[in-house]
Amino acid sequence: MNAMPTLEHPKGPDEKAWLKILSKYREPSPGRSTFELIVTVVPFAVLWALTWAAVHYGYWLGLVLIIPAAGFLLRLFMIQHDCGHGSFFARRSVDDWTGRLIGILTLTPYDYWRRAHAAHHASAGNLDERGIGDITTLTVEEYAALSKRQRLAYRLYRHPLVMFGIGPAFLFLFKQRLPFGMMRSGLSPWVSTMATNAAVAVLAGLLIWAVGLVPFLLVHLPIVILAATAGIWLFYVQHQFEDTHWSKKPEWQFQEAALHGASHYDLPPVLRWMTGNIGIHHVHHLSSRVPYYRLPEVLKDHPELANLGRITIMDSLRCVKLVLWDESSRRLISFRDARPRLAGLQAA
């Protein structure tokens, strides 16, 4: 049996050992990838049509189909996500065009999002490089230095009603219509967002022509918003948990931040499948070229990774209150837990 790297303090050679171990899982199967795409696109289209039929014939109970339809739209986003990492078909042109086409359905400009997400992967857990592709997280000291108005803004931003209510709709329906954060990063982000916007407008126009404006809005809008909310929730709990990892250079190391700064969100099998195994997020961050359908294989072969950063659904609900990084205790804490530290900092 091969000696496994130490998980508690994966530094130096141990980190390289894990990268070498995971490299053998990076090869996707074109047949499996095609199958995954088909069993996601077809059910989404069928559920969309059935939901429209329920609206058209006044069978309002049929609107419950919005929930599984949103689930399949979320799964399409996870396929787009793998395409962005070049891990779905492992052929850049095929992955890119698959991602761009899916982006029309997910309202996500693929090339613009891919660049932002690459920045997230390159700097996750790095206190010196926050701001692109991540959820804004302040340290206790940074929060203490804010003005009252700035503190209020941060509290509102981190409030669950904003983070999981207004936020998802704003991000997918409005913010992603322009390349915010990359306005001066050349032509590519603009081409990506404008081309996606044009394609979305054409598709929406065709559907409105076919089914009518009101039925289109009654069906598609809640599907998009529900899928977006689920996506933001997943992204949130994968990094915003108590024992996550944040540090500054030179202490910050990519492999340690990947293994300890991303969670293993242990979901029930159905949700695991619907979310494209994105809950195995620590492994994904350590080796993003592993196709999502091979991530369970990694845990099966290396069960010691399963308990690393593991959180359950109940655990994840408690993560919502964790909003500030405490550099002294090296954990994410709530505003209430931060009060003694804040009082001390203000007194000083």
Side-chain angles (χ1 to χ4, degrees), residues 14-263:
D14 288 342
E15 296 173 342
K16 296 177 182 178
W18 275 116
L19 290 173
K20 183 178 180 180
I21 288 167
L22 295 179
S23 65
K24 71 177 184 178
Y25 299 93
R26 292 173 57 171
E27 189 66 31
S29 164
R32 174 67 185 273
S33 296
T34 302
F35 172 78
E36 292 285 329
L37 187 58
I38 291 172
V39 299
T40 307
V41 171
V42 172
F44 172 71
V46 170
L47 286 165
W48 200 101
L50 289 174
T51 308
W52 166 79
V55 171
H56 182 73
Y57 293 105
Y59 187 67
W60 299 107
L61 187 61
L63 287 176
V64 72
L65 294 176
I66 285 171
I67 297 173
F72 279 98
L73 184 60
L74 175 64
R75 198 168 196 272
L76 276 172
F77 182 84
M78 297 309 169
I79 292 176
Q80 181 183 8
H81 167 264
D82 261 27
C83 289
H85 287 293
S87 62
F88 196 64
F89 288 108
R91 292 181 60 186
R92 176 49 70 187
S93 61
V94 178
D95 276 334
D96 285 347
W97 281 106
T98 302
R100 288 168 186 145
L101 290 173
I102 293 175
I104 300 170
L105 297 175
T106 63
L107 305 183
T108 302
Y110 171 78
D111 295 280
Y112 158 64
W113 173 86
R114 180 164 63 90
R115 290 180 61 174
H117 192 64
H120 161 69
H121 268 259
S123 61
N126 189 337
L127 287 171
D128 294 320
E129 297 184 16
R130 287 167 285 170
I132 298 179
D134 55 19
I135 291 170
T136 302
T137 305
L138 299 180
T139 66
V140 175
E141 290 78 6
E142 289 169 342
Y143 180 77
L146 297 179
S147 66
K148 289 184 178 180
R149 181 176 295 180
Q150 290 170 325
R151 287 190 186 187
L152 176 61
Y154 185 71
R155 281 180 173 270
L156 288 174
Y157 169 77
R158 298 293 301 228
H159 195 281
L161 289 179
V162 175
M163 184 67 66
F164 309 113
I166 300 172
F170 173 74
L171 174 63
F172 283 86
L173 295 177
F174 300 105
K175 187 177 180 181
Q176 291 190 155
R177 308 283 62 81
L178 288 172
F180 287 102
M182 298 184 192
M183 295 288 219
R184 300 180 181 179
S185 299
L187 191 60
S188 178
W190 284 96
V191 171
S192 177
T193 52
M194 295 302 107
T196 301
N197 291 344
V200 168
V202 170
L203 179 61
L206 289 173
L207 288 171
I208 291 170
W209 173 79
V211 305
L213 176 60
V214 173
F216 171 77
L217 293 177
L218 286 175
V219 173
H220 198 62
L221 198 59
I223 288 175
V224 169
I225 293 175
L226 188 57
T229 302
I232 293 296
W233 171 258
L234 287 169
F235 186 75
Y236 183 92
V237 300
Q238 286 158 0
H239 295 282
Q240 301 285 317
F241 58 103
E242 184 174 7
D243 296 321
T244 187
H245 175 92
W246 287 93
S247 60
K248 296 178 179 178
K249 293 180 179 179
E251 178 188 356
W252 182 88
Q253 297 293 326
F254 170 79
Q255 293 89 343
E256 184 176 4
L259 279 173
H260 297 276
S263 67

